[in-house]
Amino acid sequence: MLKPSDEKYLRAIYQISQSENTGKSTISELAYYLELKPPTVLERLKILEQEKYITYTKTDGIHLTRSGQKQALNVVRKHRIWETFLHKVCKFSWSEVHELAEQLQTVNSEKLIDRIFMLSGEPKFDPHGDPIPDKSGTLPASERRPLLNSIEGCRCTVLGVNEDSAEFLNYLSELKIGLNEKLVVEKIFAFDGTLKVRFKNAETALLSSKVAEKIMVSCTKPGCLCGK
Amino acid sequence: MLKPSDEKYLRAIYQISQSENTGKSTISELAYYLELKPPTVLERLKILEQEKYITYTKTDGIHLTRSGQKQALNVVRKHRIWETFLHKVCKFSWSEVHELAEQLQTVNSEKLIDRIFMLSGEPKFDPHGDPIPDKSGTLPASERRPLLNSIEGCRCTVLGVNEDSAEFLNYLSELKIGLNEKLVVEKIFAFDGTLKVRFKNAETALLSSKVAEKIMVSCTKPGCLCGK
DNA sequence: ACAAAAAGTTAGGTATACCTAATATATTTA
DNA sequence: TAAATATATTAGGTATACCTAACTTTTTGT
């Protein structure tokens, strides 16, 4: 049986690997994420490695094994279901849910998660737009489409790009839009199709239709009519 | 700020003091209740005493201070609200709720408790019939009446007795009915008013109307028509 | 009332989860 | 490519929450 703090580690490793394009995590990132010091993290990683949840080498970083990935996805599932419940059923704001879900995710009852999931209307995405894995660890399929096909109010996640010229990628990195970024389409200017998007929950940017055409996203707003 | 394990101690001390007629708890009872060894408990009690939540002397046992009582009632509140939510909203059985509530009670959010409380219909009693203290630590008033005035299906808690002859008290202790015992009235025999009651969640007893007249209880079944 | 049993206490040990400071190894940049 | 910087690692320390074994005090039963 996994301890609560093991679950935190696995979820953190998973989250970091998702937000990196390399898919690898380092000790200092993990330490920063977990608000611990690197020696503490290293010590624990050795145990997680013995238990075959991860592999770790200095050069190659931290990777989840198949078994570790399965566990991690289960924790992610619990976490995102709690977040959704807190937001939709208990009416907590977007920004309050994370910390509470962190605590609730440690509660050990598959049955409780099932009930909470039902009470929340069996959602496919959490309030941040992140997909909720099913019990077998499968993420819900999401339709990949250009950001350009959005409608106002659409919430979506960046899955990738359709062009990899340095100019384009530099431009995106200048805007600080990366893989898995969550975007909210605030306004679409009919004149030339420019999109005003909000992201990192605060910043906004104006994207020309030429750029928006090349950013591939999936919509995470339930019932959204975008791309139709 | 109280640690989760402090909360367990305070709740346990409160619970034990409720089920004893002396109102005092001992180290070994507490150790048994918490599934710990006496030296562990003693060690911790010294800290709780320093922090002014309890007083402890070998001869006088463990007592909650005013501040300790306030904390304990708050934990009891959280625990019983979770139990009710699990039972009424999540449809867990009577017997499953305790252990889960124990875990959930450690989650630190007054606001969450408020929401869960609302979702459960602002109950006055938990699924075991125990009263839920309000935020200021006040227990809901319960009407004191003889067990005799019950109707079938009535669930109630023993508050005391109306006679203290040794014969009567010995008889009750023989039946293993004590203070705060929860009783379910299973059947009333019209012939002579004998009551069949179930308690300790398993045992049953037949009580003559003479006995039932002298056992004072309060009903904890919402909307029950007993005593009317 | 005194021996036996129970309860409380002390002393000392283990495991864990964290830390800091110092050292070693990579990586970056001039 | 060497120096500067960042990251990883080792060694060793602290606090806590538990334990067992041995001893002391209190309670109980004859």
Side-chain angles (χ1 to χ4, degrees):
Chain A
M1 198 59 232
L2 232 41
K3 276 179 293 184
S5 70
D6 287 330
E7 299 203 332
K8 275 202 173 180
Y9 273 81
L10 294 180
R11 198 178 79 87
I13 294 165
Y14 177 83
Q15 291 283 51
I16 293 169
S17 76
Q18 288 295 298
S19 58
E20 306 267 317
N21 24 33
T22 64
K24 109 182 180 189
S25 321
T26 66
I27 293 215
S28 14
E29 277 173 314
L30 193 50
Y32 178 77
Y33 192 100
L34 294 168
E35 301 182 79
L36 297 171
K37 302 296 171 183
T40 305
V41 169
L42 175 61
E43 191 175 59
R44 185 63 88 82
L45 287 186
K46 285 178 184 165
I47 296 165
L48 289 171
E49 192 167 27
Q50 271 174 20
E51 289 168 349
K52 305 256 193 292
Y53 292 124
I54 62 159
T55 59
Y56 171 66
T57 57
K58 191 190 318 195
T59 46
D60 207 35
I62 308 160
H63 293 273
L64 292 167
T65 62
R66 181 167 295 255
S67 140
Q69 176 124 26
K70 200 181 149 186
Q71 301 289 347
L73 281 164
N74 188 45
V75 185
V76 165
R77 174 177 160 80
K78 289 197 285 179
H79 184 88
R80 293 183 180 167
I81 287 175
W82 276 117
E83 284 196 339
T84 312
F85 172 76
L86 291 170
H87 183 67
K88 285 180 60 169
V89 181
C90 298
K91 306 298 177 197
F92 278 88
S93 79
W94 220 73
S95 54
E96 290 169 301
V97 297
H98 176 77
E99 200 208 312
L100 265 174
E102 191 87 358
Q103 294 182 57
L104 287 161
Q105 129 205 323
T106 67
V107 174
N108 202 348
S109 165
E110 173 115 18
K111 198 165 166 185
L112 178 58
I113 294 299
D114 289 347
R115 301 291 163 90
I116 292 299
F117 182 60
M118 284 199 304
L119 287 173
S120 313
E122 314 207 353
K124 292 243 189 308
F125 297 90
D126 76 13
H128 307 294
D130 291 308
I132 299 176
D134 71 12
K135 281 194 195 181
S136 68
T138 311
L139 291 163
S142 50
E143 217 178 317
R144 187 183 170 101
R145 60 159 181 83
L147 176 60
L148 189 63
N149 296 6
S150 301
I151 58 175
E152 286 177 359
C154 185
R155 290 197 303 271
C156 46
T157 304
V158 176
L159 296 180
V161 290
N162 259 352
E163 175 176 329
D164 44 14
S165 72
E167 287 87 5
F168 180 62
L169 296 178
N170 284 338
Y171 180 48
L172 288 186
S173 97
E174 179 64 31
L175 290 169
K176 301 210 188 67
I177 295 181
L179 210 59
N180 292 302
E181 197 67 57
K182 310 291 167 343
L183 306 177
V184 180
V185 178
E186 294 216 315
K187 191 144 184 52
I188 300 175
F189 298 98
F191 172 61
D192 63 352
T194 294
L195 283 84
K196 187 179 176 195
V197 298
R198 182 162 54 77
F199 59 105
K200 291 223 170 31
N201 204 16
E203 301 179 50
T204 58
L206 290 174
L207 301 180
S208 71
S209 55
K210 191 163 174 186
V211 170
E213 194 184 359
K214 305 211 158 132
I215 299 178
M216 300 303 288
V217 300
S218 75
C219 181
T220 57
K221 185 180 167 186
C224 183
L225 296 170
C226 69
K228 297 283 149 41
Chain B
M1 196 58 234
L2 231 43
K3 277 180 292 183
S5 70
D6 287 329
E7 300 203 331
K8 275 201 172 180
Y9 273 82
L10 294 179
R11 198 177 79 85
I13 293 165
Y14 177 84
Q15 292 281 55
I16 292 169
S17 76
Q18 287 297 297
S19 58
E20 306 268 316
N21 23 31
T22 64
K24 108 181 182 192
S25 320
T26 65
I27 292 214
S28 14
E29 278 174 313
L30 193 50
Y32 178 77
Y33 191 100
L34 294 169
E35 301 181 81
L36 296 171
K37 303 293 169 183
T40 304
V41 169
L42 175 61
E43 191 175 58
R44 184 63 88 81
L45 288 186
K46 286 178 183 164
I47 296 165
L48 288 171
E49 191 166 28
Q50 271 174 21
E51 290 168 348
K52 305 254 193 290
Y53 291 125
I54 61 160
T55 59
Y56 172 65
T57 58
K58 193 189 319 195
T59 45
D60 206 36
I62 309 160
H63 293 273
L64 291 167
T65 61
R66 182 168 295 254
S67 140
Q69 178 125 24
K70 201 181 149 188
Q71 299 289 347
L73 281 164
N74 188 45
V75 185
V76 165
R77 174 177 160 81
K78 290 197 286 180
H79 184 88
R80 292 183 181 168
I81 286 176
W82 275 117
E83 283 195 340
T84 311
F85 172 76
L86 290 169
H87 183 67
K88 285 179 60 169
V89 181
C90 298
K91 307 298 179 196
F92 278 88
S93 78
W94 220 74
S95 55
E96 289 168 302
V97 298
H98 177 77
E99 201 208 311
L100 265 174
E102 191 87 356
Q103 293 182 57
L104 287 161
Q105 131 204 325
T106 68
V107 174
N108 200 348
S109 165
E110 174 116 18
K111 198 165 167 186
L112 178 58
I113 294 299
D114 289 347
R115 303 291 162 91
I116 292 299
F117 183 60
M118 283 198 306
L119 287 173
S120 312
E122 315 206 351
K124 292 244 191 306
F125 296 91
D126 76 12
H128 307 294
D130 291 306
I132 299 176
D134 72 12
K135 282 193 195 182
S136 69
T138 311
L139 290 163
S142 49
E143 218 178 317
R144 188 180 168 103
R145 59 161 182 82
L147 176 60
L148 189 63
N149 297 6
S150 300
I151 59 175
E152 286 178 0
C154 185
R155 290 195 302 272
C156 46
T157 304
V158 176
L159 296 181
V161 290
N162 259 353
E163 175 176 329
D164 43 13
S165 71
E167 288 87 5
F168 180 61
L169 295 177
N170 285 338
Y171 179 47
L172 287 186
S173 96
E174 179 65 31
L175 290 168
K176 301 210 189 66
I177 295 180
L179 211 59
N180 292 301
E181 197 68 57
K182 311 290 168 341
L183 306 177
V184 180
V185 178
E186 295 216 314
K187 190 142 182 56
I188 299 175
F189 297 97
F191 170 61
D192 63 352
T194 294
L195 283 83
K196 185 178 177 198
V197 299
R198 182 161 54 75
F199 58 106
K200 292 224 171 27
N201 203 14
E203 299 178 52
T204 59
L206 289 175
L207 302 179
S208 71
S209 54
K210 190 164 175 186
V211 169
E213 194 184 359
K214 306 211 156 132
I215 300 179
M216 299 303 286
V217 299
S218 76
C219 180
T220 58
K221 185 179 168 187
C224 185
L225 296 170
C226 68
K228 298 282 150 41

